[in-house]
Amino acid sequence: MTNTRRTTMSPRAYMIGAGIGSLAAAVYLIRDGGWDGSRITIMGLDTHGANDGAQAADYTSEYGHGPLGNSAGYLNRGGRMLNEETYENVWDLLRGIPSLTTPGTSVTQEILDFDHAHPTKDIGRLLDARGPRTRGDADDYKHMQFDTTDRILLTKLMTLPESREAELNGVSIEEWFAESPHFFTTNFWYMWETTFAFLRNNSAMELRRYMNRMILEFSRINTLEGVTRTPYNQYESIILPLRAWLSEHGVSFVTDRMVTAFVFDESDPMRDTIRVTGLEYLDVARDGAPGRIDVAEGDLVFCTNGSITDSTSLGDLDTAIVEDERYAPSAALWRQATEHFYGLGNPDAFFGDRTQSEWTSFTVTTNNHLLVNEIAAITRQAPGNALNTFIESNALISLVVHHQPHFAAQKPNETVFWGYSLYPRQKGDIVNKPFIEMTGREMLTETLGQLAKVDTRAVTIDTKTDAIWESVVNVIPAHMPYASALFARRSKGDRPDVVPANSVNLAFISQFVEMPFDMVFTEQYSVRAAQIAVYRFLGIDEARLTPLHHYERDPRVLAKAALTMFR
Protein backbone atom coordinates (compact mmCIF):
# COMPACT_ATOMS: atom_id res chain seq x y z
CA MET A 1 0.00 0.00 0.00
CA THR A 2 1.23 3.46 -0.90
CA ASN A 3 1.16 5.88 2.02
CA THR A 4 1.24 9.59 1.31
CA ARG A 5 2.53 11.60 4.28
CA ARG A 6 2.62 15.32 4.86
CA THR A 7 5.91 17.18 4.39
CA THR A 8 4.60 20.66 5.25
CA MET A 9 2.74 22.26 8.14
CA SER A 10 0.37 24.23 5.88
CA PRO A 11 -3.17 22.82 5.96
CA ARG A 12 -4.25 20.98 2.83
CA ALA A 13 -7.60 20.28 1.22
CA TYR A 14 -8.56 17.01 -0.42
CA MET A 15 -11.46 16.98 -2.87
CA ILE A 16 -13.04 13.58 -3.51
CA GLY A 17 -14.61 13.67 -6.96
CA ALA A 18 -13.69 15.94 -9.86
CA GLY A 19 -17.12 17.39 -10.59
CA ILE A 20 -18.20 21.00 -10.42
CA GLY A 21 -18.71 20.87 -6.64
CA SER A 22 -15.06 20.06 -6.01
CA LEU A 23 -13.88 22.58 -8.59
CA ALA A 24 -16.04 25.26 -6.98
CA ALA A 25 -14.78 24.45 -3.48
CA ALA A 26 -11.21 24.84 -4.72
CA VAL A 27 -12.05 28.20 -6.31
CA TYR A 28 -13.68 29.46 -3.10
CA LEU A 29 -10.68 28.36 -1.01
CA ILE A 30 -8.38 30.35 -3.29
CA ARG A 31 -10.63 33.31 -4.10
CA ASP A 32 -12.37 33.91 -0.77
CA GLY A 33 -10.11 32.02 1.62
CA GLY A 34 -6.76 33.24 0.35
CA TRP A 35 -5.37 29.73 -0.01
CA ASP A 36 -2.48 28.87 -2.28
CA GLY A 37 -3.70 26.39 -4.88
CA SER A 38 -0.72 24.10 -4.26
CA ARG A 39 -2.41 23.05 -1.01
CA ILE A 40 -5.41 21.59 -2.86
CA THR A 41 -5.69 18.11 -4.44
CA ILE A 42 -8.67 17.05 -6.53
CA MET A 43 -9.11 13.29 -6.97
CA GLY A 44 -11.53 11.57 -9.32
CA LEU A 45 -12.17 8.78 -11.78
CA ASP A 46 -12.68 11.08 -14.76
CA THR A 47 -12.36 14.72 -15.74
CA HIS A 48 -15.97 15.36 -16.74
CA GLY A 49 -18.04 15.06 -13.61
CA ALA A 50 -21.67 15.15 -14.65
CA ASN A 51 -21.11 18.03 -17.09
CA ASP A 52 -20.81 16.05 -20.26
CA GLY A 53 -19.23 16.67 -23.61
CA ALA A 54 -16.29 14.95 -25.27
CA GLN A 55 -15.30 12.75 -28.14
CA ALA A 56 -16.54 9.23 -27.49
CA ALA A 57 -13.00 7.87 -27.45
CA ASP A 58 -12.19 10.03 -24.42
CA TYR A 59 -14.65 8.06 -22.30
CA THR A 60 -13.33 4.62 -23.16
CA SER A 61 -10.36 4.93 -20.83
CA GLU A 62 -12.47 6.01 -17.87
CA TYR A 63 -13.35 3.77 -14.97
CA GLY A 64 -16.04 1.20 -15.75
CA HIS A 65 -16.33 1.94 -19.47
CA GLY A 66 -13.64 0.11 -21.39
CA PRO A 67 -13.06 0.12 -25.15
CA LEU A 68 -15.89 0.44 -27.66
CA GLY A 69 -16.10 -1.42 -30.93
CA ASN A 70 -16.86 1.94 -32.55
CA SER A 71 -15.49 4.92 -30.67
CA ALA A 72 -15.99 7.47 -33.45
CA GLY A 73 -18.06 10.57 -32.90
CA TYR A 74 -19.09 12.35 -29.71
CA LEU A 75 -20.88 11.58 -26.47
CA ASN A 76 -23.31 13.48 -24.26
CA ARG A 77 -24.47 11.13 -21.52
CA GLY A 78 -26.94 13.79 -20.47
CA GLY A 79 -27.29 17.49 -19.93
CA ARG A 80 -28.39 20.13 -17.48
CA MET A 81 -30.08 23.39 -18.35
CA LEU A 82 -28.78 26.65 -16.93
CA ASN A 83 -30.96 29.55 -15.89
CA GLU A 84 -29.87 33.18 -15.82
CA GLU A 85 -32.17 34.32 -13.02
CA THR A 86 -31.82 31.50 -10.47
CA TYR A 87 -28.26 30.17 -10.84
CA GLU A 88 -26.81 32.89 -8.65
CA ASN A 89 -23.83 30.92 -7.32
CA VAL A 90 -22.88 29.62 -10.76
CA TRP A 91 -22.66 33.08 -12.29
CA ASP A 92 -20.83 34.47 -9.26
CA LEU A 93 -18.29 31.63 -9.44
CA LEU A 94 -17.71 31.87 -13.18
CA ARG A 95 -17.36 35.68 -13.23
CA GLY A 96 -13.82 35.19 -11.96
CA ILE A 97 -12.91 32.46 -14.44
CA PRO A 98 -11.47 33.59 -17.81
CA SER A 99 -12.93 32.19 -21.00
CA LEU A 100 -10.62 29.87 -22.91
CA THR A 101 -11.92 31.08 -26.27
CA THR A 102 -12.73 34.78 -25.81
CA PRO A 103 -9.76 36.72 -24.35
CA GLY A 104 -10.65 39.33 -21.76
CA THR A 105 -14.07 37.77 -21.09
CA SER A 106 -15.24 35.79 -18.09
CA VAL A 107 -17.00 32.46 -18.52
CA THR A 108 -20.18 34.03 -17.11
CA GLN A 109 -20.13 36.84 -19.66
CA GLU A 110 -19.25 34.47 -22.50
CA ILE A 111 -22.21 32.21 -21.71
CA LEU A 112 -24.69 35.05 -21.26
CA ASP A 113 -23.50 36.80 -24.42
CA PHE A 114 -23.94 33.59 -26.40
CA ASP A 115 -27.35 32.91 -24.91
CA HIS A 116 -28.62 36.43 -25.56
CA ALA A 117 -27.44 36.14 -29.16
CA HIS A 118 -29.08 32.70 -29.50
CA PRO A 119 -32.19 32.83 -27.30
CA THR A 120 -34.24 29.69 -26.84
CA LYS A 121 -37.83 29.63 -28.05
CA ASP A 122 -39.08 26.09 -28.42
CA ILE A 123 -42.14 25.82 -30.66
CA GLY A 124 -41.93 22.04 -31.06
CA ARG A 125 -41.80 21.03 -27.41
CA LEU A 126 -44.42 18.26 -27.60
CA LEU A 127 -44.96 16.12 -30.69
CA ASP A 128 -47.78 13.75 -31.54
CA ALA A 129 -49.24 12.19 -34.69
CA ARG A 130 -50.56 15.58 -35.81
CA GLY A 131 -47.15 17.23 -35.53
CA PRO A 132 -45.97 19.88 -33.02
CA ARG A 133 -48.64 20.81 -30.48
CA THR A 134 -48.79 24.43 -31.63
CA ARG A 135 -52.03 23.98 -33.49
CA GLY A 136 -54.20 26.47 -31.65
CA ASP A 137 -56.56 23.79 -30.38
CA ALA A 138 -57.30 22.28 -26.96
CA ASP A 139 -54.11 20.20 -27.16
CA ASP A 140 -51.89 23.21 -27.87
CA TYR A 141 -49.14 23.07 -25.27
CA LYS A 142 -49.60 26.70 -24.32
CA HIS A 143 -52.47 25.13 -22.34
CA MET A 144 -51.38 23.34 -19.17
CA GLN A 145 -54.65 21.29 -19.30
CA PHE A 146 -55.19 21.23 -15.52
CA ASP A 147 -58.58 20.43 -14.12
CA THR A 148 -59.86 21.81 -10.82
CA THR A 149 -58.49 18.95 -8.71
CA ASP A 150 -55.08 19.25 -10.38
CA ARG A 151 -54.96 22.95 -9.51
CA ILE A 152 -55.99 22.38 -5.91
CA LEU A 153 -53.38 19.68 -5.30
CA LEU A 154 -50.60 21.56 -7.07
CA THR A 155 -51.37 24.77 -5.18
CA LYS A 156 -51.49 22.88 -1.90
CA LEU A 157 -48.06 21.42 -2.63
CA MET A 158 -46.54 24.74 -3.70
CA THR A 159 -47.84 26.62 -0.66
CA LEU A 160 -46.77 24.04 1.91
CA PRO A 161 -44.22 25.97 3.99
CA GLU A 162 -40.70 24.64 4.31
CA SER A 163 -41.18 24.34 8.06
CA ARG A 164 -43.71 21.57 7.33
CA GLU A 165 -41.69 19.81 4.62
CA ALA A 166 -41.44 16.68 6.80
CA GLU A 167 -45.12 16.05 6.01
CA LEU A 168 -43.85 14.90 2.62
CA ASN A 169 -41.49 12.29 4.07
CA GLY A 170 -41.45 9.32 1.71
CA VAL A 171 -44.35 10.67 -0.36
CA SER A 172 -44.12 10.17 -4.12
CA ILE A 173 -45.50 12.55 -6.73
CA GLU A 174 -47.94 9.83 -7.75
CA GLU A 175 -49.18 9.49 -4.18
CA TRP A 176 -49.61 13.24 -3.82
CA PHE A 177 -51.79 13.35 -6.95
CA ALA A 178 -53.59 10.05 -6.21
CA GLU A 179 -56.94 11.86 -6.17
CA SER A 180 -56.28 13.15 -9.68
CA PRO A 181 -54.53 10.71 -12.03
CA HIS A 182 -55.61 13.15 -14.74
CA PHE A 183 -52.60 15.28 -13.71
CA PHE A 184 -50.26 12.82 -15.44
CA THR A 185 -52.07 13.22 -18.78
CA THR A 186 -51.63 17.00 -18.96
CA ASN A 187 -49.31 18.96 -21.19
CA PHE A 188 -47.77 20.35 -18.02
CA TRP A 189 -46.70 16.94 -16.74
CA TYR A 190 -45.32 15.81 -20.12
CA MET A 191 -43.22 18.97 -20.26
CA TRP A 192 -42.22 18.91 -16.62
CA GLU A 193 -41.12 15.27 -16.42
CA THR A 194 -39.09 15.44 -19.62
CA THR A 195 -37.55 18.85 -18.95
CA PHE A 196 -36.28 17.95 -15.48
CA ALA A 197 -36.33 14.10 -15.67
CA PHE A 198 -38.82 13.64 -12.86
CA LEU A 199 -40.56 10.25 -12.64
CA ARG A 200 -43.95 9.64 -11.09
CA ASN A 201 -42.45 7.60 -8.25
CA ASN A 202 -40.03 10.42 -7.35
CA SER A 203 -40.17 12.76 -4.37
CA ALA A 204 -43.10 15.11 -3.88
CA MET A 205 -40.81 16.94 -1.46
CA GLU A 206 -38.40 17.81 -4.26
CA LEU A 207 -41.24 18.70 -6.62
CA ARG A 208 -42.43 21.22 -4.01
CA ARG A 209 -38.97 22.80 -3.98
CA TYR A 210 -38.86 22.97 -7.76
CA MET A 211 -42.26 24.59 -7.98
CA ASN A 212 -41.08 27.35 -5.66
CA ARG A 213 -37.50 27.82 -6.83
CA MET A 214 -38.49 27.63 -10.52
CA ILE A 215 -41.82 29.45 -10.28
CA LEU A 216 -40.40 31.98 -12.73
CA GLU A 217 -40.27 29.19 -15.34
CA PHE A 218 -43.81 27.98 -14.76
CA SER A 219 -45.27 30.48 -17.22
CA ARG A 220 -42.68 29.73 -19.93
CA ILE A 221 -42.02 26.00 -19.58
CA ASN A 222 -43.78 25.43 -22.90
CA THR A 223 -41.15 27.42 -24.83
CA LEU A 224 -38.15 26.97 -22.50
CA GLU A 225 -37.37 30.66 -22.94
CA GLY A 226 -35.78 30.68 -19.49
CA VAL A 227 -33.11 28.15 -20.51
CA THR A 228 -29.58 29.55 -20.75
CA ARG A 229 -27.34 27.70 -23.22
CA THR A 230 -23.55 27.50 -23.26
CA PRO A 231 -21.57 28.11 -26.49
CA TYR A 232 -20.38 24.50 -26.56
CA ASN A 233 -21.24 21.57 -24.33
CA GLN A 234 -20.90 22.26 -20.62
CA TYR A 235 -17.68 20.29 -20.23
CA GLU A 236 -15.89 22.52 -22.71
CA SER A 237 -17.71 25.74 -21.77
CA ILE A 238 -17.59 25.41 -17.96
CA ILE A 239 -15.45 22.54 -16.65
CA LEU A 240 -12.37 23.06 -18.84
CA PRO A 241 -12.06 26.78 -17.99
CA LEU A 242 -12.41 25.96 -14.28
CA ARG A 243 -9.76 23.26 -14.47
CA ALA A 244 -7.44 25.57 -16.42
CA TRP A 245 -7.79 28.37 -13.84
CA LEU A 246 -7.21 25.99 -10.96
CA SER A 247 -4.17 24.43 -12.65
CA GLU A 248 -2.70 27.90 -13.17
CA HIS A 249 -3.13 28.46 -9.44
CA GLY A 250 -1.23 25.29 -8.59
CA VAL A 251 -4.07 22.89 -7.81
CA SER A 252 -3.15 19.21 -8.29
CA PHE A 253 -5.49 16.91 -10.24
CA VAL A 254 -5.21 13.17 -9.69
CA THR A 255 -7.23 11.01 -12.09
CA ASP A 256 -7.99 7.28 -11.68
CA ARG A 257 -8.03 7.46 -7.91
CA MET A 258 -11.06 5.94 -6.19
CA VAL A 259 -11.30 6.84 -2.52
CA THR A 260 -12.92 3.82 -0.85
CA ALA A 261 -12.87 4.61 2.86
CA PHE A 262 -12.48 7.37 5.39
CA VAL A 263 -10.21 6.70 8.33
CA PHE A 264 -11.74 8.43 11.33
CA ASP A 265 -10.28 9.46 14.66
CA GLU A 266 -12.10 7.14 17.04
CA SER A 267 -10.22 8.06 20.20
CA ASP A 268 -13.40 9.61 21.60
CA PRO A 269 -15.52 6.66 22.83
CA MET A 270 -18.68 8.77 22.56
CA ARG A 271 -17.88 9.68 18.94
CA ASP A 272 -19.07 13.22 19.44
CA THR A 273 -16.53 14.59 16.96
CA ILE A 274 -16.13 13.69 13.28
CA ARG A 275 -12.51 13.98 12.26
CA VAL A 276 -11.02 12.36 9.16
CA THR A 277 -7.42 11.24 9.74
CA GLY A 278 -6.87 9.32 6.53
CA LEU A 279 -8.23 8.40 3.11
CA GLU A 280 -7.89 4.89 1.72
CA TYR A 281 -7.98 4.59 -2.04
CA LEU A 282 -7.47 2.32 -5.03
CA ASP A 283 -5.25 3.40 -7.90
CA VAL A 284 -7.35 2.32 -10.87
CA ALA A 285 -4.52 3.04 -13.32
CA ARG A 286 -2.30 0.55 -11.41
CA ASP A 287 -4.71 -2.39 -11.39
CA GLY A 288 -6.43 -1.17 -8.25
CA ALA A 289 -3.28 -0.89 -6.12
CA PRO A 290 -4.30 0.29 -2.63
CA GLY A 291 -2.98 3.44 -1.03
CA ARG A 292 -3.61 5.79 1.86
CA ILE A 293 -3.35 9.53 2.39
CA ASP A 294 -2.73 10.74 5.92
CA VAL A 295 -5.01 13.68 6.73
CA ALA A 296 -3.20 15.89 9.21
CA GLU A 297 -4.51 18.26 11.85
CA GLY A 298 -6.04 21.28 10.10
CA ASP A 299 -6.51 19.53 6.77
CA LEU A 300 -9.95 19.62 5.12
CA VAL A 301 -11.84 16.91 3.21
CA PHE A 302 -14.61 17.72 0.73
CA CYS A 303 -16.55 14.68 -0.45
CA THR A 304 -18.89 14.29 -3.44
CA ASN A 305 -21.22 11.90 -1.65
CA GLY A 306 -23.10 10.64 -4.68
CA SER A 307 -22.76 11.09 -8.43
CA ILE A 308 -25.60 10.73 -10.92
CA THR A 309 -23.25 9.41 -13.62
CA ASP A 310 -21.82 6.58 -11.50
CA SER A 311 -22.09 3.06 -12.96
CA THR A 312 -22.90 4.35 -16.46
CA SER A 313 -22.72 1.73 -19.23
CA LEU A 314 -21.87 2.58 -22.84
CA GLY A 315 -22.59 0.89 -26.15
CA ASP A 316 -22.05 1.86 -29.76
CA LEU A 317 -23.75 1.74 -33.14
CA ASP A 318 -24.00 -2.06 -33.21
CA THR A 319 -23.43 -2.92 -29.55
CA ALA A 320 -26.03 -2.68 -26.82
CA ILE A 321 -24.99 -1.64 -23.35
CA VAL A 322 -24.27 -4.25 -20.69
CA GLU A 323 -25.83 -2.86 -17.53
CA ASP A 324 -23.40 -2.07 -14.74
CA GLU A 325 -25.03 -3.55 -11.64
CA ARG A 326 -22.51 -2.18 -9.17
CA TYR A 327 -23.59 0.08 -6.36
CA ALA A 328 -22.41 3.63 -7.09
CA PRO A 329 -18.80 4.04 -5.87
CA SER A 330 -19.46 7.57 -4.59
CA ALA A 331 -22.48 6.36 -2.61
CA ALA A 332 -20.49 3.40 -1.27
CA LEU A 333 -17.98 5.84 0.24
CA TRP A 334 -20.84 7.84 1.73
CA ARG A 335 -22.33 4.63 3.16
CA GLN A 336 -18.98 3.77 4.77
CA ALA A 337 -19.08 7.08 6.62
CA THR A 338 -22.62 6.38 7.88
CA GLU A 339 -21.36 3.12 9.42
CA HIS A 340 -19.17 5.17 11.75
CA PHE A 341 -21.43 8.09 12.67
CA TYR A 342 -25.12 8.84 13.01
CA GLY A 343 -26.69 11.78 11.23
CA LEU A 344 -24.82 11.42 7.94
CA GLY A 345 -27.87 10.54 5.88
CA ASN A 346 -29.08 7.43 4.09
CA PRO A 347 -27.46 6.73 0.70
CA ASP A 348 -29.76 3.77 0.04
CA ALA A 349 -32.72 6.15 -0.13
CA PHE A 350 -31.20 7.46 -3.36
CA PHE A 351 -29.08 4.62 -4.68
CA GLY A 352 -31.04 1.57 -3.52
CA ASP A 353 -33.89 1.63 -6.07
CA ARG A 354 -33.00 2.07 -9.73
CA THR A 355 -36.67 2.24 -10.75
CA GLN A 356 -36.66 5.78 -9.33
CA SER A 357 -33.54 6.94 -11.09
CA GLU A 358 -32.58 5.19 -14.31
CA TRP A 359 -32.80 6.49 -17.85
CA THR A 360 -30.98 5.82 -21.09
CA SER A 361 -29.55 8.38 -23.48
CA PHE A 362 -28.01 8.14 -26.94
CA THR A 363 -25.76 10.52 -28.88
CA VAL A 364 -25.91 10.68 -32.67
CA THR A 365 -23.00 11.90 -34.79
CA THR A 366 -23.47 12.36 -38.55
CA ASN A 367 -21.12 13.46 -41.31
CA ASN A 368 -23.60 15.85 -42.90
CA HIS A 369 -26.55 18.00 -41.87
CA LEU A 370 -29.37 16.00 -43.45
CA LEU A 371 -30.80 14.45 -40.29
CA VAL A 372 -30.63 17.62 -38.17
CA ASN A 373 -32.21 19.59 -41.02
CA GLU A 374 -35.03 17.04 -41.17
CA ILE A 375 -35.60 17.34 -37.42
CA ALA A 376 -35.62 21.12 -37.76
CA ALA A 377 -38.21 20.94 -40.54
CA ILE A 378 -40.46 18.53 -38.65
CA THR A 379 -40.32 20.54 -35.42
CA ARG A 380 -40.37 23.88 -37.31
CA GLN A 381 -37.39 25.36 -35.50
CA ALA A 382 -33.64 25.72 -35.87
CA PRO A 383 -31.12 23.75 -33.79
CA GLY A 384 -30.57 25.35 -30.40
CA ASN A 385 -34.25 25.74 -29.57
CA ALA A 386 -35.22 22.14 -29.36
CA LEU A 387 -36.21 19.81 -26.60
CA ASN A 388 -38.72 17.65 -28.41
CA THR A 389 -40.74 14.90 -26.73
CA PHE A 390 -42.64 12.21 -28.60
CA ILE A 391 -45.50 12.01 -26.13
CA GLU A 392 -47.01 8.94 -27.78
CA SER A 393 -43.78 6.91 -27.68
CA ASN A 394 -43.93 3.94 -25.33
CA ALA A 395 -40.44 4.57 -23.94
CA LEU A 396 -41.09 8.35 -23.79
CA ILE A 397 -38.27 9.49 -26.06
CA SER A 398 -37.06 13.08 -26.23
CA LEU A 399 -34.49 14.76 -28.47
CA VAL A 400 -32.09 17.59 -27.63
CA VAL A 401 -30.67 19.40 -30.67
CA HIS A 402 -28.16 22.06 -29.66
CA HIS A 403 -26.85 24.97 -31.64
CA GLN A 404 -24.16 23.57 -33.94
CA PRO A 405 -21.28 23.02 -33.45
CA HIS A 406 -21.80 21.55 -29.99
CA PHE A 407 -18.15 20.48 -29.72
CA ALA A 408 -15.15 22.61 -30.55
CA ALA A 409 -13.59 19.75 -32.53
CA GLN A 410 -16.65 19.22 -34.73
CA LYS A 411 -15.87 19.47 -38.42
CA PRO A 412 -18.02 21.88 -40.47
CA ASN A 413 -19.87 18.98 -42.06
CA GLU A 414 -20.62 17.17 -38.78
CA THR A 415 -23.68 17.42 -36.56
CA VAL A 416 -24.26 16.04 -33.08
CA PHE A 417 -27.44 15.71 -31.05
CA TRP A 418 -28.63 13.49 -28.26
CA GLY A 419 -31.84 11.96 -26.99
CA TYR A 420 -33.09 9.97 -24.05
CA SER A 421 -35.76 7.58 -22.84
CA LEU A 422 -37.17 8.08 -19.35
CA TYR A 423 -38.68 4.58 -19.41
CA PRO A 424 -35.91 2.42 -20.88
CA ARG A 425 -37.47 -0.86 -19.69
CA GLN A 426 -40.43 -0.22 -22.00
CA LYS A 427 -40.40 -1.68 -25.50
CA GLY A 428 -40.07 0.52 -28.53
CA ASP A 429 -42.97 1.13 -30.88
CA ILE A 430 -40.87 0.36 -33.97
CA VAL A 431 -38.11 -1.86 -32.55
CA ASN A 432 -39.79 -4.62 -30.55
CA LYS A 433 -37.47 -4.80 -27.57
CA PRO A 434 -36.88 -2.78 -24.39
CA PHE A 435 -35.08 0.46 -25.16
CA ILE A 436 -32.26 -0.42 -22.76
CA GLU A 437 -31.50 -3.54 -24.82
CA MET A 438 -31.22 -1.72 -28.14
CA THR A 439 -28.00 -1.05 -29.99
CA GLY A 440 -27.30 2.51 -31.08
CA ARG A 441 -28.53 1.58 -34.56
CA GLU A 442 -31.81 0.33 -33.11
CA MET A 443 -32.24 3.43 -30.94
CA LEU A 444 -31.87 5.63 -33.99
CA THR A 445 -34.23 3.35 -35.94
CA GLU A 446 -36.79 3.82 -33.16
CA THR A 447 -36.22 7.58 -33.23
CA LEU A 448 -36.56 7.83 -37.01
CA GLY A 449 -39.82 5.92 -36.72
CA GLN A 450 -41.08 8.36 -34.09
CA LEU A 451 -40.08 11.30 -36.30
CA ALA A 452 -41.95 9.74 -39.23
CA LYS A 453 -45.09 9.36 -37.11
CA VAL A 454 -45.16 13.10 -36.32
CA ASP A 455 -44.00 14.31 -39.75
CA THR A 456 -46.91 16.11 -41.44
CA ARG A 457 -45.02 17.33 -44.51
CA ALA A 458 -45.81 16.22 -48.04
CA VAL A 459 -42.36 14.62 -48.45
CA THR A 460 -41.67 12.91 -45.15
CA ILE A 461 -38.49 11.80 -43.44
CA ASP A 462 -39.13 8.12 -44.12
CA THR A 463 -38.46 8.75 -47.82
CA LYS A 464 -34.87 9.76 -46.91
CA THR A 465 -33.93 6.87 -44.63
CA ASP A 466 -31.17 5.45 -46.83
CA ALA A 467 -29.44 8.82 -47.17
CA ILE A 468 -29.70 9.43 -43.44
CA TRP A 469 -28.10 6.09 -42.60
CA GLU A 470 -25.26 6.80 -45.01
CA SER A 471 -24.49 9.91 -42.94
CA VAL A 472 -24.39 8.18 -39.55
CA VAL A 473 -20.93 8.05 -37.98
CA ASN A 474 -21.98 6.54 -34.66
CA VAL A 475 -24.79 6.30 -32.13
CA ILE A 476 -23.57 5.89 -28.55
CA PRO A 477 -26.09 4.53 -26.01
CA ALA A 478 -25.47 5.40 -22.36
CA HIS A 479 -27.49 3.81 -19.58
CA MET A 480 -27.34 5.81 -16.35
CA PRO A 481 -28.88 3.87 -13.46
CA TYR A 482 -28.66 6.85 -11.08
CA ALA A 483 -29.37 9.77 -13.43
CA SER A 484 -32.44 10.86 -11.43
CA ALA A 485 -31.35 9.45 -8.06
CA LEU A 486 -31.36 12.94 -6.57
CA PHE A 487 -35.18 13.04 -7.09
CA ALA A 488 -35.78 9.73 -5.28
CA ARG A 489 -38.34 9.68 -2.49
CA ARG A 490 -36.72 10.91 0.67
CA SER A 491 -37.41 11.88 4.24
CA LYS A 492 -35.88 14.50 6.45
CA GLY A 493 -32.49 13.24 7.54
CA ASP A 494 -31.80 11.19 4.40
CA ARG A 495 -29.42 13.89 3.20
CA PRO A 496 -26.52 14.99 5.44
CA ASP A 497 -25.82 18.62 6.19
CA VAL A 498 -23.06 20.19 4.12
CA VAL A 499 -20.91 20.28 7.25
CA PRO A 500 -22.39 17.68 9.61
CA ALA A 501 -22.81 18.53 13.27
CA ASN A 502 -19.53 18.15 15.16
CA SER A 503 -17.52 17.68 11.97
CA VAL A 504 -14.06 19.14 12.31
CA ASN A 505 -12.85 18.62 8.76
CA LEU A 506 -15.37 16.65 6.64
CA ALA A 507 -17.88 18.35 4.34
CA PHE A 508 -20.23 16.96 1.71
CA ILE A 509 -20.60 18.93 -1.54
CA SER A 510 -22.99 17.21 -3.90
CA GLN A 511 -26.59 16.94 -5.05
CA PHE A 512 -27.25 14.74 -2.02
CA VAL A 513 -26.79 17.23 0.82
CA GLU A 514 -29.40 19.14 2.78
CA MET A 515 -29.68 22.87 2.18
CA PRO A 516 -32.74 25.06 2.66
CA PHE A 517 -34.93 26.14 -0.27
CA ASP A 518 -32.63 25.26 -3.17
CA MET A 519 -33.30 22.46 -5.66
CA VAL A 520 -31.15 19.63 -6.96
CA PHE A 521 -30.14 18.56 -10.51
CA THR A 522 -28.46 21.89 -11.05
CA GLU A 523 -24.90 23.14 -11.04
CA GLN A 524 -26.27 25.78 -8.69
CA TYR A 525 -26.85 23.24 -5.90
CA SER A 526 -23.34 21.77 -5.95
CA VAL A 527 -21.66 25.17 -6.24
CA ARG A 528 -23.65 26.58 -3.32
CA ALA A 529 -22.84 23.54 -1.18
CA ALA A 530 -19.16 24.15 -1.94
CA GLN A 531 -19.40 27.81 -0.91
CA ILE A 532 -21.17 26.94 2.34
CA ALA A 533 -18.56 24.28 3.18
CA VAL A 534 -15.61 26.59 2.57
CA TYR A 535 -17.14 29.48 4.50
CA ARG A 536 -17.98 27.29 7.50
CA PHE A 537 -14.52 25.76 7.70
CA LEU A 538 -12.68 29.06 7.23
CA GLY A 539 -14.97 31.05 9.50
CA ILE A 540 -16.07 33.42 6.74
CA ASP A 541 -19.20 35.35 7.67
CA GLU A 542 -22.10 33.52 6.03
CA ALA A 543 -23.79 36.85 5.45
CA ARG A 544 -21.37 36.98 2.52
CA LEU A 545 -22.87 33.89 0.89
CA THR A 546 -24.17 34.60 -2.60
CA PRO A 547 -27.74 35.93 -2.17
CA LEU A 548 -30.56 33.82 -3.59
CA HIS A 549 -33.60 35.23 -5.34
CA HIS A 550 -37.04 34.36 -4.02
CA TYR A 551 -39.31 34.72 -7.03
CA GLU A 552 -41.98 32.73 -5.20
CA ARG A 553 -42.52 35.91 -3.17
CA ASP A 554 -42.77 38.20 -6.19
CA PRO A 555 -46.43 39.18 -6.80
CA ARG A 556 -45.85 39.70 -10.51
CA VAL A 557 -44.30 36.25 -10.96
CA LEU A 558 -47.08 34.66 -8.90
CA ALA A 559 -49.71 36.43 -11.01
CA LYS A 560 -48.18 35.05 -14.20
CA ALA A 561 -48.07 31.58 -12.67
CA ALA A 562 -51.72 31.83 -11.66
CA LEU A 563 -52.74 32.84 -15.17
CA THR A 564 -50.75 29.94 -16.60
CA MET A 565 -52.39 27.49 -14.21
CA PHE A 566 -55.81 28.43 -15.58
CA ARG A 567 -54.74 28.63 -19.21
Side-chain angles (χ1 to χ4, degrees), residues 138-173:
D139 289 332
D140 193 315
Y141 59 66
K142 72 180 180 183
H143 301 293
M144 296 296 103
Q145 297 184 320
F146 296 130
D147 64 18
T148 300
T149 307
D150 296 335
R151 295 186 186 101
I152 291 171
L153 291 172
L154 190 58
T155 301
K156 182 179 178 183
L157 182 66
M158 292 170 64
T159 57
L160 184 74
E162 192 163 353
S163 61
R164 292 171 52 196
E165 197 173 46
E167 295 177 19
L168 300 174
N169 282 351
V171 176
S172 71
I173 299 170

Side-chain angles (χ1 to χ4, degrees), residues 472-539:
V472 173
V473 173
N474 207 352
V475 182
I476 306 285
H479 181 67
M480 296 174 288
Y482 305 118
S484 291
L486 62 188
F487 295 148
R489 293 188 303 278
R490 68 174 188 266
S491 298
K492 285 289 189 180
D494 284 341
R495 304 192 301 194
D497 290 336
V498 174
V499 179
N502 302 317
S503 173
V504 173
N505 66 348
L506 174 63
F508 296 113
I509 48 169
S510 76
Q511 302 284 296
F512 299 93
V513 298
E514 187 60 47
M515 296 189 295
F517 178 61
D518 230 333
M519 60 183 191
V520 293
F521 204 37
T522 67
E523 293 87 344
Q524 166 65 22
Y525 203 81
S526 295
V527 174
R528 187 163 188 83
Q531 187 183 33
I532 289 172
V534 169
Y535 280 30
R536 296 242 174 112
F537 279 147
L538 301 191

Side-chain angles (χ1 to χ4, degrees), residues 112-126:
L112 295 181
D113 285 349
F114 173 83
D115 182 68
H116 295 165
H118 304 85
T120 298
K121 187 168 184 180
D122 195 336
I123 61 171
R125 181 64 187 84
L126 300 180

Side-chain angles (χ1 to χ4, degrees), residues 16 258-260 262 303-308 310-311 326-339 344-352 482 485 508 510 512:
I16 303 171
M258 179 193 294
V259 178
T260 57
F262 298 105
C303 174
T304 305
N305 61 311
S307 170
I308 62 176
D310 269 1
S311 305
R326 289 173 298 180
Y327 195 77
S330 57
L333 178 63
W334 175 16
R335 179 194 275 173
Q336 185 262 348
T338 68
E339 294 168 355
L344 297 187
N346 176 21
D348 286 351
F350 306 96
F351 293 89
Y482 305 118
F508 296 113
S510 76
F512 299 93

Side-chain angles (χ1 to χ4, degrees), residues 108-109 151 188 245 287 344 439:
T108 290
Q109 194 59 53
R151 295 186 186 101
F188 170 80
W245 188 89
D287 298 320
L344 297 187
T439 65

